[in-house]
Amino acid sequence: MFEDKTITCNSCGEEFVFTVGEQEFYEKQGYQNEPKKCKKCRMARKNAGKVMITTVCAQCGGEAVINFEPTNDRPIYCRDCFNAMRNAQNKPE
């Protein structure tokens, strides 16, 4: 029913492929319009205005980059330590 479509991004002018899988997802979600921007431009728009803050990881002391203002009541972890802690919590005993 669906076929890959090549679309030109209305933001950067680059061509991108609107894949069969993406079209099926759009249909399931009830979206009626095809995307007008490529993934890179959609992500840039989504992240516009976000301020990234660099702080110290509470576990390893390394650099932790976050997109929210830290408070003193909760520890901040770098991506590696956060993922390790999350995986340890989800591990069956």
Side-chain angles (χ1 to χ4, degrees):
M1 180 171 161
F2 293 112
E3 291 184 15
D4 286 353
K5 293 182 182 180
T6 301
I7 301 174
T8 302
C9 177
N10 70 356
S11 186
C12 70
E14 295 287 321
E15 289 187 344
F16 65 96
V17 177
F18 186 36
T19 66
V20 170
E22 291 170 325
Q23 292 174 54
E24 290 170 348
F25 174 79
Y26 269 54
E27 184 178 61
K28 281 183 187 175
Q29 297 299 315
Y31 300 147
Q32 297 183 1
N33 299 317
E34 296 178 347
K36 304 267 188 245
K37 295 179 178 7
C38 65
K39 186 170 185 165
K40 181 176 71 174
C41 289
R42 288 192 312 259
M43 293 305 291
R45 183 172 182 218
K46 180 181 176 184
N47 292 325
K50 285 188 179 178
V51 177
M52 302 307 283
I53 297 171
T54 303
T55 188
V56 177
C57 175
Q59 177 123 353
C60 72
E63 183 178 273
V65 180
I66 55 176
N67 63 354
F68 59 90
E69 190 68 38
T71 60
N72 291 332
D73 62 335
R74 302 188 86 189
I76 302 297
Y77 301 104
C78 67
R79 181 181 305 269
D80 292 337
C81 291
F82 179 81
N83 287 335
M85 290 171 51
R86 184 174 58 190
N87 290 338
Q89 289 175 351
N90 294 332
K91 193 175 189 181
E93 293 180 28

